[in-house]
Amino acid sequence: MGTKWSFLQLVAVIFIFTGQTQSFKPLFDGNSISHRDITVRAVLRKTAEVCRDIAAAEGWDFNLAIDDSLTAQRVHTACSSSRESTSLLSSVSFHGSIAYIYLNNANVDLVYALSDKHHFDSETFHKGRDLITQGVSAVKANVKLANFIAGRLTLGQICHTLQDFYSHSNWVELRNTDPYNTLIKPDQPFQSLAGPNVPTCRNCAGQNCNNNILPDVLEKKLLTSGYFNIFFSKKPKGKCSHGGFLDRTSKREPVGGINKDDNESSHGSLHNQAANLAVIATMELLEDIRRAVGDKDFLRLMGLSQASALCFVIDTTGSMSDDVAQAKTVAFNIIDSKRGTPQEPAAYILVPFNDPGFGPLLTTTDADTFKERINDLTASGGGDGPELSLSGLQLALTAAPPLSEIFVFTDVSAKDAHLKSTITALIESTKSVVTFLLTDVLPSRRKRSLKGVLSKVVSQNDAQLYHDLALTSGGQVIEVSKSDLALAISLIEDSSATAMVTVFQGVRKPGRPAQFMFDVDGSLTNITIYIAGTSSLTFDLISSTGVSQSSSESHGPLASLILAGNLRRLKLNNANETGLWGISVDSYDPYSVKVTGQSPVNFIYNLVEAHEGLHADFFLKEGRPLSGGNATILVTVTGSDSVNVTEVTLCDSSSPAKVNGTLQSLGGSNFLVTFIEPPRGDFVVRLRGEDSSSTPNRFQRQASTHIKTSSISVIAQANSTNIEPGSTITIPFTVTTIDSGIGTFMVRATNDHGYNSTSPTSVNIQTHSGGKANSTVTLTAPDSAASGTDVALTIEVEDAAATDINYVVLRVSVTAKVTDVSRPVCQEVSTTTNCSSSLLCDSSRWEFVANMTDGVNGTGIDSIVIREGNGTLSTTKVVGPGGESITVVSYQASCCADRVELSVVDNVGNVGICVGQVRQPTTVALVTTEDVTLNAASSGSTSYCLWITVIALYSYY
């Protein structure tokens, strides 16, 4: 294992320093089409198509041309423009999901650089297709359990492999103008593969490789792909090579290559054709997933939600009865006021905790299910000890969508404080905001009695853990009495509003008087300021025109003030007063200031590693940036296609210190920002820009999550991101110190499901090790693990002095092996019709009856959905003569709607299409096409001298 891991590291280093990857040319060449371009085009077009179909079915206008000029903002706006949609909308989730998909697409070139099957190199067609089809099954299983993050990760990876087929094979040279559907259909055999001993290429004519594929291969339409190796030149005699200066096989006869990765490649003249086919093929793969999971869940997979998730982590011990009641009240108010509107939460997440247990986790999109579960919560027991608050929070952080707001209700300290660094890593990785609502915090520990139950309340020392985690996330700790909890809970209702943004956030710890300045732009509404601190804290708010209001005024000229415990909530009276505002705080105790509002204009960022070269790209980076080195982030501005970013800075939230970044525009609203040697400490990303769609056009936004640097590097990558139930996966990892320091480093590996795992407790970096140490972590999924389960594995490495830490968070999907690759079968049983005249079609009806089966050894029919048609569908289950389960479908419709298309999905996501149609031909012809089975039956009814024929077709998608 050690030798192999070192070899793969060497390969990665070679690619990083040369900039060479073997795929569609990525980022910096505007003349070539990258994986990122292909993926974004396909996602936007397919998402727009789904929204168009939903609009047609629901009767609202969808006014958007679906072509390659689409932007994420235009698609999000069009998809959100239903008849009831009048509120501000946030496209952060959509932009973030697209970025996560294409960044994981790019990572295939880094992690699987020499894997032939991941790139369809060396004629590995069967293995490459297995990667795609098994990955599609994993995505469908993830979506079925609402694990959309894991689904996007796998989706990005398999899209890379699928797209590479069109660049690395001779599919385009064979003059094919449609995608090769066999790649996403495991039950279809490959046709006309070039055998292992069949020569496929001849030498290029100097630098010209346009005609290096043998004429016989082209004439017989034999499918081949190029061989690739950066270390050895050996390849089968007469076979084509990938090509490029790092491909040593291309130096051996037949010399040259056939790849179409960019315009300068061996077959670069076909680059655009290959890329365009890759777009269509990616759309077909997305369509297969859409049909399997349904339109609603497909849009969730794409991140097309208009509101954030509502996520509660609730202490259910006896002393929390009042708190649980308040949580129920606010949850019900949010649900009832927003149900059926664009402001309805994208998901509902609930994690109860106490001691000795926590969970179970509830993740649902059904508001009634959430209401039932939260209504069932009862507060009881608990004794006098701390509770498992961080274990419950860990579950919520891994289940909630990125950038979520999570609310933790408790009145006790954390029994599992050892999870603090793990929680910190998950907060930084997901960029979620955690707010703690602590009731009855006391200056010192004591016991109290409530209804006969002893409970240890939170002391200030215990509360510090919660303050530290809230600070990292950009959340707050609200300390109130139980009687004042209802006032503090208004914060949750504020946060559940759509399109909430953070304009500014600052902390002073230790406390000292300070003045904070922030810009209010024309797009902001519902501006609210939160100040958390001791009772002695005072402040003055100053508007852009110089009007001021002091902390003693509950209803002043600028805002209304509510005080609840340590929290002051200021709601501005007039959000139209734009410009530079200020707030002066006078306190020598720790305090925080947070300014929020509603606006479609926001931004997301991802820490990446970028490099330029012949094939330049950037890759998603896990963990913290290294101190003393450069840090690069990919920034995407959301909510407007007319923005110009003028400044991106790393700001110390507890001081005026900041580091300016160097901006590089990537087109549209995407920017690459590089920071030279960011200093040690806690920093947040603050962005300033100009938006020509608002007046005034200058705006300011701040990310919530704090960034910390580390002198420790942790690199880990599993050979696969999927694991079968009952099996074990091994994850190699490498620890490196930037200063080549030596010593012992503590290692902790935890996962959110409590699966069995092995890992070292420490690693030693020795004098002659080059400042690095290698080891492994194993993870075992139990036999009972449900397919589609998303497991978050966190590997943390800390120095011996416990002063420096870094981590990596890996997501692993439990995926049961799929043996059923056959799609459901549709067989017509009967048809009846009294359709007589198109002029009187409203008064006439027709019926289509068919049997749907998945075979004796199949997994069974899971769902049947009308994809086209406005009739009514009914189903019944019967047992066939061979013991197979049969779903009998009856479809009835007006003769005005003379066609029905049904999607038939089995329990592992195989999709078939069944079509019934009323036709009026003079003769009945047998229709035969590839992948279509036709069952024709004619009715004896005649009228107006026309034969009315109902034809049922079964096809595969």
Side-chain angles (χ1 to χ4, degrees), residues 700-917:
Q700 168 188 323
R701 300 290 183 269
Q702 182 171 311
S704 297
T705 310
H706 283 225
I707 296 176
K708 299 179 178 68
T709 59
S710 175
S711 62
I712 304 169
S713 169
V714 185
I715 299 175
Q717 179 63 52
N719 292 331
S720 172
T721 56
N722 297 324
I723 182 174
E724 292 184 23
S727 65
T728 299
I729 189 172
T730 300
I731 301 100
F733 69 93
T734 297
V735 179
T736 309
T737 56
I738 62 172
D739 54 2
S740 299
I742 62 174
T744 299
F745 294 81
M746 302 300 106
V747 176
R748 290 182 295 272
T750 59
N751 68 87
D752 59 332
H753 282 66
Y755 289 173
N756 288 336
S757 178
T758 65
S759 64
T761 58
S762 64
V763 294
N764 292 308
I765 297 181
Q766 301 175 352
T767 304
H768 303 294
S769 64
K772 65 178 57 178
N774 299 324
S775 192
T776 59
V777 172
T778 67
L779 177 71
T780 301
D783 294 331
S784 59
S787 186
T789 300
D790 176 24
V791 185
L793 173 67
T794 306
I795 303 174
E796 306 163 54
V797 179
E798 187 174 26
D799 65 7
T803 58
D804 195 4
I805 189 171
N806 210 338
Y807 64 88
V808 61
V809 178
L810 302 175
R811 302 197 87 105
V812 180
S813 291
V814 177
T815 308
K817 186 175 182 179
V818 175
T819 56
D820 177 13
V821 297
S822 299
R823 282 154 287 179
V825 175
C826 167
Q827 183 179 16
E828 180 189 2
V829 174
S830 64
T831 58
T832 57
T833 177
N834 64 353
C835 298
S836 56
S837 168
S838 60
L839 298 177
L840 303 174
C841 62
D842 266 338
S843 60
S844 305
R845 299 188 66 78
W846 65 286
E847 182 182 32
F848 168 59
V849 180
N851 286 341
M852 309 294 183
T853 63
D854 198 35
V856 176
N857 298 319
T859 52
I861 303 297
D862 178 61
S863 64
I864 302 171
V865 178
I866 300 173
R867 304 302 309 183
E868 180 182 337
N870 56 8
T872 59
L873 183 71
S874 62
T875 63
T876 57
K877 297 246 186 210
V878 299
V879 178
E884 70 274 20
S885 175
I886 299 174
T887 302
V888 182
V889 173
S890 174
Y891 174 82
Q892 296 183 351
S894 159
C895 291
C896 298
D898 62 356
R899 186 177 188 275
V900 62
E901 180 180 306
L902 305 175
S903 280
V904 189
V905 185
D906 68 16
N907 282 299
V908 291
N910 295 311
V911 182
I913 299 174
C914 189
V915 177
Q917 187 169 354

Side-chain angles (χ1 to χ4, degrees), residues 4-324:
K4 181 179 180 181
W5 182 239
S6 297
F7 173 75
L8 291 177
Q9 284 183 297
L10 173 62
V11 171
V13 169
I14 290 174
F15 280 124
I16 288 173
F17 281 99
T18 62
Q20 175 70 54
T21 56
Q22 47 153 341
S23 62
F24 280 108
K25 189 164 188 174
L27 180 63
F28 301 99
D29 178 10
N31 297 319
S32 297
I33 303 172
S34 69
H35 276 289
R36 175 175 171 271
D37 298 327
I38 293 167
T39 304
V40 172
R41 289 182 191 178
V43 167
L44 293 181
R45 287 176 58 179
K46 181 52 61 180
T47 302
E49 286 181 4
V50 174
C51 293
R52 178 198 60 197
D53 294 346
I54 292 174
E58 296 182 354
W60 49 277
D61 293 333
F62 183 83
N63 300 315
L64 184 67
I66 300 177
D67 53 32
D68 285 339
S69 67
L70 293 174
T71 66
Q73 192 56 47
R74 291 176 59 207
V75 171
H76 185 272
T77 300
C79 288
S80 304
S81 298
S82 64
R83 287 170 296 182
E84 297 87 19
S85 178
T86 58
S87 61
L88 289 174
L89 301 173
S90 171
S91 57
V92 162
S93 178
F94 190 39
H95 279 91
S97 299
I98 294 173
Y100 193 67
I101 291 170
Y102 70 64
L103 285 171
N104 280 287
N105 183 316
N107 273 9
V108 172
D109 270 335
L110 183 67
V111 178
Y112 305 107
L114 294 186
S115 171
D116 289 338
K117 63 183 179 181
H118 281 85
H119 308 281
F120 277 109
D121 291 332
S122 307
E123 299 183 324
T124 53
F125 295 112
H126 288 93
K127 291 181 179 180
R129 181 178 67 175
D130 287 347
L131 277 177
I132 294 170
T133 56
Q134 291 167 8
V136 168
S137 295
V139 173
K140 293 173 180 176
N142 289 142
V143 173
K144 201 168 187 177
L145 296 185
N147 290 323
F148 300 112
I149 305 172
R152 292 169 196 141
L153 186 156
T154 302
L155 178 59
Q157 293 176 338
I158 60 178
C159 282
H160 185 106
T161 300
L162 176 67
Q163 292 159 7
D164 269 357
F165 170 83
Y166 298 95
S167 174
H168 296 181
S169 77
N170 66 331
W171 183 255
V172 175
E173 288 85 345
L174 294 177
R175 299 185 183 279
N176 291 298
T177 56
D178 294 315
Y180 192 25
N181 292 334
T182 298
L183 297 179
I184 61 173
K185 297 177 179 178
D187 59 345
Q188 287 190 358
F190 282 101
Q191 301 290 338
S192 303
L193 295 182
N197 298 318
V198 175
T200 54
C201 268
R202 58 191 174 192
N203 289 336
C204 295
Q207 298 298 316
N208 186 350
C209 292
N210 290 338
N211 297 310
N212 63 332
I213 298 180
L214 294 176
D216 191 51
V217 172
L218 300 175
E219 182 180 343
K220 294 179 179 178
K221 290 191 171 294
L222 300 179
L223 187 63
T224 185
S225 68
Y227 282 71
F228 179 87
N229 200 298
I230 67 171
F231 296 110
F232 308 106
S233 62
K234 185 178 179 180
K235 65 181 177 182
K237 185 177 180 180
K239 289 296 186 180
C240 302
S241 290
H242 175 83
F245 77 90
L246 276 184
D247 178 17
R248 295 192 63 183
T249 74
S250 65
K251 310 303 187 291
R252 171 174 289 194
E253 291 193 353
V255 299
I258 65 169
N259 85 83
K260 296 160 283 294
D261 289 343
D262 59 67
N263 289 321
E264 305 302 319
S265 297
S266 304
H267 282 198
S269 61
L270 300 175
H271 167 72
N272 286 346
Q273 293 180 47
N276 290 332
L277 269 181
V279 172
I280 299 171
T282 305
M283 291 179 64
E284 289 190 350
L285 183 145
L286 294 173
E287 176 67 16
D288 178 72
I289 294 172
R290 168 203 181 181
R291 288 181 178 269
V293 305
D295 289 350
K296 193 173 182 180
D297 277 340
F298 177 83
L299 294 182
R300 290 193 181 104
L301 177 64
M302 296 299 106
L304 197 70
S305 59
Q306 301 171 22
S308 60
L310 182 62
C311 186
F312 286 171
V313 181
I314 302 180
D315 183 347
T316 58
T317 49
S319 61
M320 286 291 293
S321 57
D322 294 340
D323 308 60
V324 171

